[in-house]
Amino acid sequence: MAFSKITLFYAGNSRGKTTLAAIFRSLASGDAKLITERRRLSATQAPHVVLNASIPYIFQNGQWSSLYPDLVVFDDAFVAENVCSGVEIGAEHRQNLHELILGAQGVTLNATLQGHVAKIEQHNKTLKTKADAIPSTQLGSLTVDAFCALKAKADVAALIQQAERSLAAARSAETVSQQSGFSQLALPAFDRLAIEALLARDLPTLDAAAAMRVQAHLSTLGGGGESWVGQGMGLVPSASEGTDYEVCPFCAQDLDGSSVMEAYRTYFSESYADLKASIDRGIAGLARSHGNDAPAAFERAVRVAIQRRDFWKNFVEVPELNIDTAAIARTWNKAREIVLTALNAKKAAPLDAVTLTSADLLALDEYESATSGIVTISDALLAVNPKIALVKEQAASANVTTLAADLAKLKSTEARHSSATNLLCQAYMDEKAAKKITEGLRDTARGALDVYRTAIFPAYETAINAYLVKFNAGFRLGSVTSVNNRSGSSCSYNVLINNVAVAITGNDGDPCFKNTLSAGDRNTLALAFFFASLDQDPQLSQKVVVIDDPMTSLDEHRSLTTVQETGRLLNRVEQVVVLSHSKPFLCAIWQEADKTSRAALKIIRNGTGSVLDTWDVNQDSITEHDKRHAAVSAYIRSQQGTNERAVAAALRPILECYTRVAYPAVFQPGSLLGPFINTCNQRKGTPSEILSESNIIELRDLLDYGNKFHHDTNAAWETEQINDQELLNFCERTLKFTSRS
């Protein structure tokens, strides 16, 4: 039998409607169990199904030849999966409802997100394994992340040494403050140029012949002759007083005729005396600078320097101090003896030039080299003194705990960048980087899903409540939101009865879903869920919608809305199939459908089974109308035979229903028109304007009138006087306002 744009199936109970719905559901999902579990008890062969569409769809040997995923079925299974099992709502219902609300696009987004979440869990396990591989002894007080993040330092060994010294200085701050720095080390120098000049010095005014004559004469006088003659030369002036010639102080004779007197005058002149004095000063100076106390003082200075170096090397970099004082003493003594011997020789013969031998000069060179080495060592030690001063200053104000922490961090840095540990840290950081990439993908996926949820859940809540209003349900849903938990995402919502939130689950004795909603309410809610999910499906035009007995447990006054909503589906989907045991319901759909695109079948008994047959709907057709709108429309037409108070009371609900559908993002379920109008006023003239000023004024006027006939806004609502012309005016204005596009 051929189906049409809308195809109706009528059947009594137990005739096979549920089986037919299960076949459609199996064709969409591929779940063979939906068919095999409905096999007749007396059947001897496996189920075999053939449906002809653009291609034949055959179920045989437990599987379909092809699937038709664009089939959407509302039946008892839909209710049990997405709403409740009996009167109970379980976690699986909320999870299924979550996917139903999300739709195919949202489910794909959620699956992508959950895939990234699972991968992050694996990253975490791998990270723990790689973190445990890093020796804890190297971490110190650092976390693995902080340890691996330590930057390499090229001079870490030197920095560790300096940190150890700073810490040691801080711990010995009092001793450090009392210890002196380095003093200058020095060896006295030999002024070789002056010594050599003195040894070579003579009297330029005394020629050699005269000098020889004087020396020859003095040699005849025996020891001390030169000194005796020199003293006598100093007495000549006093002996010559009163004469016009020089007189010998010994014999009073005239000295003008003496052959050696002129030579004596030059020989015993002031220059000669100065030469002798210079020689004596040189010998005295040598004794002062290079005497026996000088080497001992130098050795003491070296011992002090060594002691100070042994102390300060623990806190600051100090150059090596290798001084062989015994070798220096030998070199020093040899040089001193050479100079002293030369000066004594000069003193014995002042006019004779004394020349140092090459061996003497080499000995003096060795000593000068020793003095230069001591100067170099001394300068290096003195250069440490500013550092010592800094160590003292820092030690006085240092924080031992901080310095110890700095040292530990440096040691951790050194350990972190050792070859073996570096490989372990690199592996850990590579895994962290991979995790970060996955987290970025997760965040992107979550952002996309959240954006989708942000749009879809409020819209779905509004759509559900709009359908509940249409179905004249005595309750609404509130707080329809997505909830993330360890088992995945699920949907959460409250049932609002008289604006009081009732939880979907609760403790025994507390109001909750199972003890506040009737069977009809639960089925109405399921049907609202189904229609709302269709509204959110972007591929709705490709869908074949199957509705199995939507009137089960529904009150009669909801029949018209179900008919209307089913009729509206026709222009939005590929095809609609409705199965029911209610002839009035199916007849109402039949009458509203296009005569050229409808078909009707019935399932009738055939022995012990059932068969399909053509159904003549016209014989059973009946019609119903929406009471509220019909009442208002009827009053406008005739103003007679109508309960005026009921008409007046219908105006505000009509406005509320319109506002909820027209402005779902602003007029949430459970909201009131008064606050909505206030919000409209606040947004007036802004980019987010909701209503124009004239529409706000009109809605306010309509609400003020409608509030007169409701107990929550007018205590005397039952006795409120009604003027028929005024009521007519507000009825017309209400329908006009709610008919705006």
Side-chain angles (χ1 to χ4, degrees), residues 276-291:
K276 292 176 63 178
S278 295
I279 295 171
D280 290 339
R281 286 196 299 271
I283 293 172
L286 182 66
R288 285 194 305 273
S289 298
H290 299 272

Side-chain angles (χ1 to χ4, degrees), residues 15-46:
R15 289 274 59 85
K17 297 189 307 299
T18 304
T19 298
L20 191 55
I23 291 173
F24 288 134
R25 182 176 287 276
S26 175
L27 178 59
S29 65
D31 185 355
K33 185 179 178 182
L34 292 171
I35 295 177
T36 58
E37 69 184 3
R38 304 198 69 82
R39 176 181 176 180
R40 289 176 58 195
L41 296 177
S42 59
T44 59
Q45 296 180 352

Side-chain angles (χ1 to χ4, degrees), residues 348-369:
L351 295 180
D352 291 342
V354 177
T355 303
L356 297 176
T357 66
S358 58
D360 294 338
L361 294 175
L362 181 60
L364 290 176
D365 288 341
E366 290 178 358
Y367 179 75
E368 285 184 355
S369 177

Side-chain angles (χ1 to χ4, degrees), residues 27 29 95 127 143 165 191 207 238 296 308 399 406 415-416 445 517 559 590 595 608 644 666 690-691 713 733:
L27 178 59
S29 65
Q95 290 172 350
L127 279 172
T143 64
R165 289 169 174 168
D191 189 348
D207 57 35
S238 58
R308 291 179 180 176
N399 185 308
D406 292 343
R416 156 66 180 87
L517 295 186
S559 175
W590 178 266
K595 295 180 180 181
T608 59
E644 292 180 338
V666 182
I690 303 169
L691 293 175
T713 50
R733 289 166 62 184

Side-chain angles (χ1 to χ4, degrees), residues 658 663 676-677 680-681 683-685 688-696 699 737 740:
Y658 166 76
Y663 307 102
F676 172 75
I677 292 173
C680 291
N681 275 316
R683 296 191 184 181
K684 184 172 58 180
S688 59
E689 182 178 83
I690 303 169
L691 293 175
S692 65
E693 183 172 6
S694 61
N695 284 329
I696 294 172
L699 181 58
F737 186 88
R740 298 177 306 118

